[in-house]
Amino acid sequence: MAETLSAQKTVKFIVTRQESPDSKPYTEEFEIPYRSNMNVISGLMEVQRNPKNSSGQKTTPVCWESNCLEEVCGACSMVINGKPRQACSALVDKLEQPIRVAPMSTFPVMRDLVIDRGRMFNALKKVKAWVPIDGTYDLGPGPRMAESKRQWAYELSKCMTCGVCLEACPNVNDKNSFIGPSALSQVRLFNAHPTGEMNKDERLDTLMTDGGIEGCGNSQNCVRSCPKGIPLTTSIAALNADTTKHLFKKWLGV
């Protein structure tokens, strides 16, 4: 009986679509069969299998990105019912209908829900968010970290570059060059690493240039929206202290 009722139910999606980076966005409504425990991704997959809108007209399949389907890769970020989040963990049963799906507006749209995350990755390059090593040969075991430091550093390492925090941040837009909370948090992570610490001063110098830490307006939207619960504002506060100390050291010539 329950299966019969589920088969009769439908789910409505209103998807913001865009044919190309230069074309105008529009919305298209879809009505798909309901299944228990379905998420937004499974709904989009149903549209892909049978690309007909709610009027019964054939249309092109909706384009989107996804990979792991378990909130690890960060690829399926989109705005769902006005909130930036991961589509794989957005359960239909917990969403108000019709479900409105749109691409994140902070990034250029390539097609439909597919966006260009270049701004985010360029920010990571700018701050050198990696641990430098000499060569690709076996260097042996890395230096040990104190357990007290490792515990909070591990939380920062959960970042999956999903871009949700940049979408939620009011200071990340096309009118400024603010690198965003994800890159700032990664600076704190790699500056805490025993090997990454060698480039600490260089990273702090970068944060003190245009688009760096001064761009944060402390809205705290980032920490509230992060799907991994990363303490982004704690990192930004710590980096504010680090850059201030670094500036005084440079003035004093230490």
Side-chain angles (χ1 to χ4, degrees):
M1 182 66 177
E3 292 181 0
T4 304
L5 290 173
S6 294
Q8 294 174 351
K9 290 176 62 177
T10 58
V11 181
K12 288 186 178 181
F13 279 84
I14 299 178
V15 182
T16 299
R17 309 197 61 183
Q18 189 169 326
E19 297 296 332
S20 68
D22 300 322
S23 60
K24 292 184 178 180
Y26 63 97
T27 59
E28 194 165 22
E29 186 173 320
F30 300 92
E31 193 165 351
I32 62 172
Y34 169 83
R35 297 195 311 273
S36 60
N37 299 320
M38 70 187 301
N39 57 12
V40 168
I41 290 294
S42 58
L44 292 173
M45 291 175 74
E46 185 63 35
V47 172
Q48 190 178 54
R49 281 191 290 268
N50 185 26
K52 287 184 180 180
N53 58 32
S54 57
S55 301
Q57 298 173 328
K58 282 192 174 183
T59 185
T60 55
V62 177
C63 294
W64 79 93
E65 291 182 303
S66 65
N67 191 9
C68 70
L69 300 181
E70 53 185 17
E71 204 177 61
V72 173
C73 71
C76 66
S77 303
M78 56 188 73
V79 179
I80 302 171
N81 286 354
K83 178 183 177 182
R85 59 181 302 183
Q86 303 296 287
C88 62
S89 59
L91 301 179
V92 167
D93 289 334
K94 296 184 178 181
L95 294 171
E96 183 180 343
Q97 288 198 45
I99 299 172
R100 299 180 180 273
V101 182
M104 293 197 295
S105 59
T106 298
F107 305 93
V109 176
M110 305 305 292
R111 181 171 180 177
D112 293 340
L113 304 173
V114 180
I115 56 174
D116 179 4
R117 291 178 169 84
R119 175 174 185 159
M120 178 171 51
F121 295 118
N122 288 335
L124 294 174
K125 292 178 185 178
K126 183 177 181 179
V127 299
K128 295 189 175 181
W130 59 79
V131 174
I133 59 172
D134 181 18
T136 58
Y137 50 86
D138 184 11
L139 300 176
R144 294 177 62 87
M145 293 179 68
E147 181 62 18
S148 57
K149 180 186 287 187
R150 187 204 63 79
Q151 287 180 357
W152 62 257
Y154 176 71
E155 294 303 314
L156 305 187
S157 73
K158 292 179 180 179
C159 178
M160 53 187 179
T161 56
C162 65
V164 167
C165 63
L166 276 74
E167 175 71 9
C169 178
N171 291 16
V172 178
N173 51 61
D174 57 4
K175 296 179 181 178
N176 63 52
S177 57
F178 179 43
I179 59 176
S182 60
L184 292 175
S185 188
Q186 291 302 290
V187 168
R188 185 184 179 216
L189 170 64
F190 290 106
N191 280 359
H193 191 279
T195 305
E197 191 177 8
M198 291 190 299
N199 296 87
K200 179 177 180 179
D201 289 350
E202 187 177 355
R203 294 192 188 96
L204 293 178
D205 282 334
T206 302
L207 294 192
M208 293 161 60
T209 60
D210 184 50
I213 196 166
E214 97 289 343
C216 175
N218 197 31
S219 69
Q220 303 195 23
N221 288 6
C222 57
V223 72
R224 286 192 289 264
S225 64
C226 177
K228 308 306 287 186
I230 299 172
L232 297 167
T233 49
T234 302
S235 291
I236 294 171
L239 289 174
N240 267 315
D242 288 345
T243 51
T244 301
K245 292 176 185 176
H246 182 62
L247 180 61
F248 276 115
K249 286 182 179 180
K250 290 182 71 173
W251 280 349
L252 297 172
V254 178

